[in-house]
């Protein structure tokens, strides 16, 4: 799988997770974006059109009253990190 495909999968999973959490908490997009993040930017993140910046991730988590790690607890991220760390360990051992 190409790295760009992996990022698309991560983004899709992130946006699905975000939508699920927001709906479970019964919050609107306006409430979730708050005053510090434009609703339009939030909508792009939730639709999977763009990754949130670190600042946006923190703002969203704060407004949802959850730990930011909940938003990033995704199988695709764990798989991506595991694959990358194995490659790094192998290259370190071969030197």
């Amino acid at each position: 799988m190409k790295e760009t495909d992996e990022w698309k999968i991560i983004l899709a999973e992130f946006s699905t997770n975000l939508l699920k959490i927001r709906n479970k908490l019964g919050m609107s997009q306006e409430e979730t974006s708050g005053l510090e993040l434009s609703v339009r930017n939030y909508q792009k993140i939730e639709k999977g059109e763009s990754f949130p910046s670190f600042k946006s991730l923190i703002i969203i988590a704060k407004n949802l009253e959850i730990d930011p790690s909940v938003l990033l607890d995704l199988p695709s991220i764990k798989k991506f990190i595991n694959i990358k760390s194995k490659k790094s360990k192998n290259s370190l051992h071969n030197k």
Side-chain angles (χ1 to χ4, degrees):
M1 183 180 299
K2 294 188 302 188
E3 190 169 316
T4 54
D5 293 336
E6 291 171 337
W7 286 112
K8 287 178 185 177
I9 291 168
I10 291 170
L11 180 56
E13 216 172 88
F14 179 85
S15 62
T16 300
N17 189 42
L18 177 58
L19 177 61
K20 183 179 80 175
I21 292 168
R22 181 177 67 77
N23 285 334
K24 185 177 179 181
L25 295 173
M27 294 179 68
S28 68
Q29 290 181 334
E30 291 79 10
E31 291 170 317
T32 307
S33 61
L35 299 175
E36 302 149 296
L37 178 65
S38 77
V39 175
R40 181 65 193 127
N41 281 343
Y42 176 80
Q43 289 170 335
K44 287 181 180 180
I45 294 165
E46 191 178 89
K47 286 182 182 178
E49 294 174 5
S50 68
F51 279 102
S53 67
F54 182 73
K55 180 180 178 181
S56 296
L57 181 73
I58 300 301
I59 290 168
I60 292 167
K62 180 186 79 160
N63 292 338
L64 290 171
E65 297 181 356
I66 61 171
D67 191 281
S69 65
V70 174
L71 296 170
L72 299 172
D73 187 20
L74 308 170
S76 58
I77 290 179
K78 291 174 185 173
K79 182 180 176 188
F80 182 77
I81 291 170
N82 191 29
I83 290 169
K84 297 300 176 188
S85 64
K86 283 182 182 177
K87 287 180 183 177
S88 297
K89 286 178 186 176
N90 288 340
S91 66
L92 288 174
H93 292 300
N94 293 332
K95 290 185 179 184

